Amino acid sequence: QKGIAEAFRLQVVTSKDQRSPLKQIGDTSFLHVRDKDLYVVAVTKDNADATAIFEVLYALIKIFKLYFVAFDE
């Protein structure tokens, strides 16, 4: 949903003091990893296993870096 993505952008991406890779906005949880200026994000409304999600996010970054010449856009 566009509203959820906009909430993430406003509260995480534009925030200068964001330290936690987990952000709860309403009943939605955002788990994110930042690599340079790119955010890789998982979104859930369930009680998901955060460790498994972060493993997948880091694996995606690794795969994208191998597949794409530059992983920055």
Side-chain angles (χ1 to χ4, degrees), residues 26-51:
D27 63 345
T28 305
S29 299
F30 295 86
L31 298 91
H32 58 90
V33 176
R34 183 175 176 184
D35 188 87
K36 298 180 186 167
D37 289 333
L38 188 66
Y39 285 86
V40 180
V41 183
V43 181
T44 184
K45 290 189 176 203
D46 295 327
N47 186 12
D49 182 359
T51 304

Side-chain angles (χ1 to χ4, degrees), residues 18-32:
Q18 181 65 29
R19 290 187 172 92
S20 175
L22 293 162
K23 181 68 176 178
Q24 184 84 24
I25 303 173
D27 63 345
T28 305
S29 299
F30 295 86
L31 298 91
H32 58 90

